[in-house]
Amino acid sequence: MSNTQKDLFYTIALAFFILTAAITITIFASYLLFAFDIKHYYLEQAVSMKYSTIMKNYAQMMDYLINPFNWHFQLSDFTSSASGRLHFEDCKKLFLLNFGVFIGSGLIVAKFRKIRARFNKMFLWIGIVGIVVAILMLLNFDEFFVIFHEVLFRNSDWLFDPDKDPVINILPEEFFTQCFILFFILFEGLNFWKANKKAFRN
């Protein structure tokens, strides 16, 4: 493999690392966002539960999504339909795929870190595309959210019925908006930092 090929391989791996790193940080930061949203959006009143109870159920949901050894979805205080459980399983597979790519691309980046970067401008263009997508999201989050799910999922199980999957009542649209905004901030920051790394060093 020539140096140019190694550099391109490194650049592609780094792009995947940045993407999955932003997603991973957002996933774990969602605990803090959700803890804030419980009070801010009056979720206790919405479901007639205590703060600690809601937080416990969110932690159970997240443990299912991020724990590769937990394949049994069950919440202490919310019932779930078959389609709801299937959607959470689909989400879990995407979470685990993300973590796998994050670790794999990170190992590649670490191995080739001394390779001379010739393709830094790629991160500038990735960042520009990200800004365009973020603007479209902010202009119409509802439509963006629908398209996002239609791209990632092959079924309509993500359209929760609150009567069958009441957990959706503690997951307001604003919470998902905050998660997407945090992701784009991290994603754009990492991409533009890499694209201008030399400038920052100087």
Side-chain angles (χ1 to χ4, degrees):
M1 185 182 292
S2 67
N3 287 336
T4 300
Q5 290 173 325
K6 288 180 179 179
D7 183 54
L8 181 60
F9 184 60
Y10 164 80
T11 302
I12 293 172
L14 182 57
F16 276 107
F17 179 74
I18 288 174
L19 172 65
T20 53
I23 294 173
T24 300
I25 294 171
T26 301
I27 288 172
F28 287 100
S30 72
Y31 285 92
L32 297 176
L33 293 175
F34 185 74
F36 168 79
D37 287 349
I38 292 175
K39 292 291 186 182
H40 189 71
Y41 295 109
Y42 307 101
L43 300 183
E44 293 163 295
Q45 292 86 339
V47 294
S48 299
M49 292 181 186
K50 294 181 180 180
Y51 180 97
S52 58
T53 302
I54 296 174
M55 200 67 209
K56 178 185 70 175
N57 282 268
Y58 183 77
Q60 290 173 339
M61 182 187 76
M62 292 301 294
D63 179 71
Y64 172 79
L65 292 173
I66 66 179
N67 185 349
F69 304 106
N70 180 6
W71 287 88
H72 179 62
F73 181 77
Q74 184 175 1
L75 304 178
S76 299
D77 302 278
F78 295 97
T79 57
S80 301
S81 67
S83 61
R85 290 191 297 272
L86 181 59
H87 178 63
F88 277 109
E89 183 179 332
D90 290 339
C91 290
K92 180 183 181 71
K93 291 176 181 177
L94 290 175
F95 275 41
L96 296 182
L97 174 62
N98 172 79
F99 295 148
V101 174
F102 173 63
I103 294 171
S105 60
L107 292 173
I108 294 172
V109 169
K111 181 177 180 180
F112 290 93
R113 65 185 183 279
K114 294 182 180 180
I115 296 293
R116 179 185 174 187
R118 296 184 176 89
F119 300 96
N120 276 2
K121 287 186 178 179
M122 178 187 294
F123 296 98
L124 176 62
W125 288 108
I126 292 174
I128 292 173
V129 171
I131 289 176
V132 173
V133 175
I135 291 174
L136 293 175
M137 178 196 74
L138 293 173
L139 290 175
N140 192 337
F141 183 79
D142 288 339
E143 184 174 352
F144 172 85
F145 198 64
V146 170
I147 294 174
F148 173 81
H149 280 81
E150 288 179 343
V151 169
L152 290 182
F153 303 103
R154 294 174 294 176
N155 52 49
S156 58
D157 291 337
W158 60 276
L159 294 169
F160 280 16
D161 181 345
D163 293 327
K164 296 179 180 179
D165 292 284
V167 68
I168 196 64
N169 292 319
I170 62 168
L171 300 171
E173 179 182 300
E174 292 83 358
F175 168 69
F176 292 107
T177 304
Q178 292 164 2
C179 289
F180 274 105
I181 290 174
L182 176 59
F183 161 76
F184 277 112
I185 289 173
L186 293 168
F187 181 71
E188 292 301 311
L190 289 170
N191 271 293
F192 282 111
W193 171 79
K194 180 57 183 174
N196 298 280
K197 194 173 182 180
K198 290 184 179 180
F200 281 106
R201 283 181 175 177
N202 295 331

